[in-house]
DNA sequence: GTGGTCTAGACCACG
DNA sequence: GTGGTCTAGACCACC
């Protein structure tokens, strides 16, 4: 469960965690049936209040993405894949769209946008392959 | 002063307005010395509370981006250009970087990322993206 | 946090509160790391709207004098001392200078000024002022 | 009519002007029967909106400190002296008291206050004698 | 409980 | 008309 948290960002920490979980499922890093870290373990790892993680697990359970088996832990639901893929695709789409909107509003011309993309693609590629 | 507001987004409306103003200055759509819409006028236009706009103007004045002449209006500061260009460049870079980060976390492979970009670039306008 | 507020004075209540906090830090009555009263608590104590206190805390945070840990409170910044001492020294100097300026403009002669000082010094406490 | 205006101060410009006039009368720099500058002349000199000066003259007239003789100008009232002296004495007293209060709140000890006073007294003396 | 943001509406000083 | 300040009260995220 490798989730990046930006505690100071305006998007709520709980949303960031939920999205992180959905992404992990969408990308297949975590599979239906896998056991998630306990509330406390994940909270410790993310340096976050356990209540926040508990809320995320509760919300995702309501969406049928997670299932809690009392006494044994929290698991990825058997039908978690499709909604997570859908959600993450939408999120990525929206992020890209947002980036372009900002680039345009900031007055970047086509060339500057292309340069920026190329540069970031290289970064992204490099990062993708060296990821643990 | 053409600013898009997403009232439901997690990023505070006031931050969105501030960024919109910085972008307008960075892109040269508004120039040093120009008078901004009055607090009340902009609030009416954006369907936002005047206090929210006042807060934005006040914050940007503290950053030396705006100068307010009480009773007569709020104006773009003479040295507003560079910090606005810097801020908007950083914001765009960060948005692009964020989009790629999400794409990566969502498990998209190179081909999918390229497709997504192409699609968004078409949306964005006449711009062309040459796949490397 | 012993702050005197003059609600009818022309200087904004929020500025008075901010100065009171700076003074408390400058004088060592409140130290780096100390927790300040909560927004609501201080507002209740000073008979002021919570928004006013929140604005003060927010402004002082931007000056790096306070640090807010959301959900847990507002604390004196680790490097708050020097700027507060500087600010309070300047404020005192300016107040004294202003008093003398007024005395001069009001046409008081040396003797009247000396009398006034003596009288106020007695009010102020055990302090003694030796006329030169 | 030598009045110092601090346009950015929190005390309203109109109050500053009114106090300046009262001080001038209290100190005898302007005497009952003297003609004051016209609204426009004073406004030009103080770099202030004529409306502001007009309001001051109107207010002081209501206090019987000034008298307007239509067509010929604004004059100091015959009984202006005592109230102006009283007001300016109170203002000075209050300013001094305020300065001491701040000094105490800022944590200055007796010695520091004495030093500060001495220093300012010298400044004030020098200024008083070199005043034009 | 904490702070952060926003809305609504008031009053003031100034142009 | 302008902006500045303050009050009142709401909702949200987090501890």
């Amino acid at each position: 469960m490798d989730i990046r948290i930006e505690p100071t960002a305006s998007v709520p920490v709980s949303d960031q965690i939920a999205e992180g979980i959905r992404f992990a499922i969408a990308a297949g890093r975590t599979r239906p049936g896998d056991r998630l870290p306990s509330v406390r373990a994940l909270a410790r790892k993310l340096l976050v209040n356990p209540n926040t993680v508990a809320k995320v697990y509760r919300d995702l359970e309501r969406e049928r993405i997670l299932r809690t088996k009392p006494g044994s832990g929290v698991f990825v639901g058997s039908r978690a894949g499709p909604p997570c893929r859908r959600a993450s695709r939408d999120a990525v789409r929206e992020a890209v769209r947002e980036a372009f909107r900002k680039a345009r509003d900031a007055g970047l011309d086509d060339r500057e946008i292309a340069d920026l993309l190329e540069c970031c693609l290289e970064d992204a590629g490099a990062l993708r392959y060296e990821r643990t």
Side-chain angles (χ1 to χ4, degrees), chain A:
Chain A
M1 200 44 49
D2 231 17
I3 301 176
R4 265 178 290 271
I5 297 298
E6 199 97 42
T8 66
S10 66
V11 35
V13 173
S14 55
D15 290 3
Q16 296 183 48
I17 299 173
E19 178 168 88
I21 293 174
R22 269 190 282 256
F23 276 20
I25 297 172
R29 291 192 300 277
T30 302
R31 296 187 149 76
D34 285 359
R35 185 177 177 279
L36 264 60
S38 75
V39 166
R40 289 175 179 177
L42 186 52
R44 240 189 340 266
K45 185 176 182 192
L46 302 179
L47 301 173
V48 150
N49 190 293
N51 287 335
T52 305
V53 176
K55 178 181 179 255
V56 171
Y57 279 6
R58 199 178 343 116
D59 291 351
L60 290 178
E61 195 169 10
R62 202 169 305 155
E63 296 179 32
R64 308 287 177 188
I65 289 175
L66 300 184
R67 276 188 54 199
T68 299
K69 299 184 185 172
S72 73
V74 178
F75 299 82
V76 177
S78 55
R79 290 180 173 72
C84 287
R85 276 190 289 277
R86 214 177 310 130
S88 64
R89 183 171 24 82
D90 290 353
V92 172
R93 226 189 177 70
E94 183 48 36
V96 173
R97 197 183 301 275
E98 175 70 7
F100 278 104
R101 194 186 66 77
K102 282 198 177 175
R104 194 160 11 94
D105 288 355
L108 270 60
D109 61 25
D110 290 4
R111 168 153 198 82
E112 289 169 310
I113 292 182
D115 287 351
L116 186 60
L117 281 181
E118 199 160 353
C119 150
C120 283
L121 271 173
E122 284 168 11
D123 284 4
L127 283 170
R128 183 161 46 247
Y129 297 124
E130 78 187 7
R131 239 182 126 223
T132 53

